[in-house]
Amino acid sequence: MAISHNINSNIVFSTELDIINISGVVDVLPVAILNRGVTVFTTDYIPDEAGNVVIYSIKKVVEAYIENVFSDFTFIFGDKSVNVRVIRSVIRISETAAGFLPSFFLTTLINSKKTALGRYETLSFYPQESCNVYAVVSYLDGDTLLSYDVELMSADDVILNAVNIVNVSPSRFVDESRETLVNIVLHAGKRLFTLEIDDMLPSADPAFIFRNNFGCWETFYLTGTKETEYSIKRSHAYIDGYYKQYDFEDTEIFNANSGILLGNMLSLGMDVARTTNVFLLDIQGAAGDEIVLTDSEIKYTNDDDALPTFDYTFRRCTVVTALLKTIRPSNLFDKTFDFTFN
């Protein structure tokens, strides 16, 4: 009987490797996993009476070798081997990677997101097929809704079998000749994603840019209350007959509320709580200080009138967490200004 297994595609999510079933085993089965030619796992398995071997938790093995979004592995089961590209996924997806990747962008939001002018937004996708990326941008001109196509990436610019990142910030689509920007519908092959522009959204403090469920960069804006707390640890001792403080350690800790999260924004809020790579996002859309989430409170109900909010506790990753931001006054006069009027 020939050995068979349940790795049925050359591209999978890491969660698809939770359980590997191997059948047709008649003797001790040597199993090995190679990452880019380097052996990262090897052991022997003894089959049950029916000739089956079941391997659990290989997901944890392969994810340790995925630096960001994906990595390539070779699985060897006895005299059989299969080459697999493994895409990171912290949570289980209802579809296989082979079915998901051609149809969706790499975000747990799936289809849409509310945003506002001035916010930095980015989308990532993994194309295996040739496609271009364009946006159908809608403006409200009086009572008339006008839509225009804007190309963002040509088919020649799209890199196949790799992660492509698109800046979809609303400011890219502002047109002074038209009135109110309403929404942006992004297209990349069969993928479809809508950015709904809502300038009534509260201002955000802080804003995060983080590696999401798939390891791609994504943004999250917290619009609720932010609380700052200083935790100070002092060290005292008798020195030369006097009780003195000889050292202290202070930690600046923040607790920020997400603001109201409705619809699929709940998925994004939960994705933030899972991340291990997160930075503060500045107003220009650049990553600022790296932070670490030390706690989170993620809770919501299915009540019709529920207004769910999440809380995140975080600190800067630097040893010295307190930061004084300098502000320089504007230069009213340049060096050529003539002061002789005095």
Side-chain angles (χ1 to χ4, degrees):
M1 184 185 295
I3 291 176
S4 63
H5 51 78
N6 63 335
I7 302 178
N8 300 316
S9 175
N10 60 2
I11 188 163
V12 300
F13 288 131
S14 56
T15 47
E16 294 179 57
L17 301 174
D18 275 344
I19 301 174
I20 298 178
N21 294 301
I22 308 168
S23 60
V25 183
V26 296
D27 202 347
V28 174
L29 178 70
V31 173
I33 302 175
L34 284 65
N35 176 234
R36 298 173 182 174
V38 177
T39 301
V40 297
F41 177 85
T42 180
T43 192
D44 292 336
Y45 288 90
I46 298 174
D48 62 16
E49 293 179 354
N52 298 319
V53 168
V54 182
I55 306 174
Y56 299 96
S57 301
I58 290 298
K59 170 183 181 293
K60 293 183 180 296
V61 175
V62 298
E63 281 190 344
Y65 294 91
I66 300 175
E67 186 174 351
N68 292 320
V69 182
F70 64 83
S71 192
D72 295 322
F73 296 85
T74 300
F75 291 79
I76 301 174
F77 309 118
D79 59 356
K80 277 202 167 186
S81 66
V82 56
N83 295 318
V84 182
R85 174 158 290 185
V86 182
I87 307 286
R88 179 189 300 278
S89 182
V90 180
I91 61 173
R92 287 191 304 112
I93 309 295
S94 62
E95 297 186 24
T96 64
F100 181 92
L101 295 174
S103 303
F104 297 100
F105 289 92
L106 293 174
T107 170
T108 58
L109 285 170
I110 301 298
N111 291 319
S112 66
K113 181 181 185 180
K114 277 196 174 185
T115 188
L117 291 174
R119 292 188 177 185
Y120 176 75
E121 302 287 356
T122 180
L123 276 177
S124 301
F125 66 105
Y126 183 97
Q128 296 169 283
E129 80 291 358
S130 178
C131 65
N132 68 325
V133 183
Y134 68 96
V136 179
V137 187
S138 297
Y139 303 86
L140 192 62
D141 192 354
D143 294 329
T144 306
L145 187 66
L146 305 174
S147 297
Y148 303 88
D149 289 0
V150 178
E151 186 175 67
L152 302 177
M153 297 176 70
S154 69
D156 291 337
D157 294 329
V158 173
I159 304 172
L160 300 184
N161 301 306
V163 175
N164 291 251
I165 304 172
V166 189
N167 179 354
V168 293
S169 304
S171 59
R172 290 193 65 183
F173 305 97
V174 171
D175 189 335
E176 299 296 337
S177 66
R178 302 181 178 107
E179 290 194 15
T180 307
L181 180 62
V182 176
N183 62 41
I184 306 160
V185 181
L186 289 310
H187 297 259
K190 291 190 276 186
R191 304 167 194 84
L192 191 71
F193 192 91
T194 301
L195 286 171
E196 303 172 19
I197 313 302
D198 184 357
D199 285 327
M200 298 301 290
L201 292 176
S203 58
D205 181 24
F208 294 160
I209 184 165
F210 70 102
R211 287 203 179 274
N212 65 15
N213 173 72
F214 303 100
C216 300
W217 291 113
E218 193 164 1
T219 57
F220 184 66
Y221 294 85
L222 294 87
T223 60
T225 301
K226 184 178 79 171
E227 178 184 62
T228 305
E229 175 186 347
Y230 279 94
S231 172
I232 301 178
K233 180 181 177 181
R234 298 177 176 88
S235 299
H236 301 83
Y238 282 99
I239 303 174
D240 295 332
Y242 292 90
Y243 191 62
K244 294 183 178 182
Q245 177 177 310
Y246 65 89
D247 192 19
F248 75 94
E249 180 182 338
D250 69 333
T251 306
E252 189 176 31
I253 301 170
F254 303 93
N255 185 276
N257 182 269
S258 64
I260 296 171
L261 300 175
L262 298 176
N264 58 1
M265 287 298 291
L266 288 169
S267 297
L268 188 61
M270 288 185 280
D271 210 4
V272 172
R274 288 186 289 260
T275 189
T276 56
N277 297 96
V278 57
F279 292 78
L280 296 175
L281 183 67
D282 67 22
I283 196 170
Q284 284 80 32
D289 292 331
E290 184 177 4
I291 63 173
V292 59
L293 299 180
T294 58
D295 198 9
S296 59
E297 184 175 343
I298 310 298
K299 185 188 296 185
Y300 65 95
T301 73
N302 62 349
D303 294 337
D304 291 339
D305 59 350
L307 299 174
T309 64
F310 297 160
D311 287 297
Y312 304 89
T313 303
F314 64 94
R315 53 159 287 178
R316 293 184 177 91
C317 287
T318 52
V319 174
V320 179
T321 59
L323 176 67
L324 175 65
K325 289 188 176 181
T326 56
I327 301 175
R328 300 185 184 278
S330 57
N331 223 350
L332 296 179
F333 307 108
D334 62 23
K335 294 181 180 179
T336 63
F337 183 77
D338 186 358
F339 287 92
T340 56
F341 71 93
N342 287 328

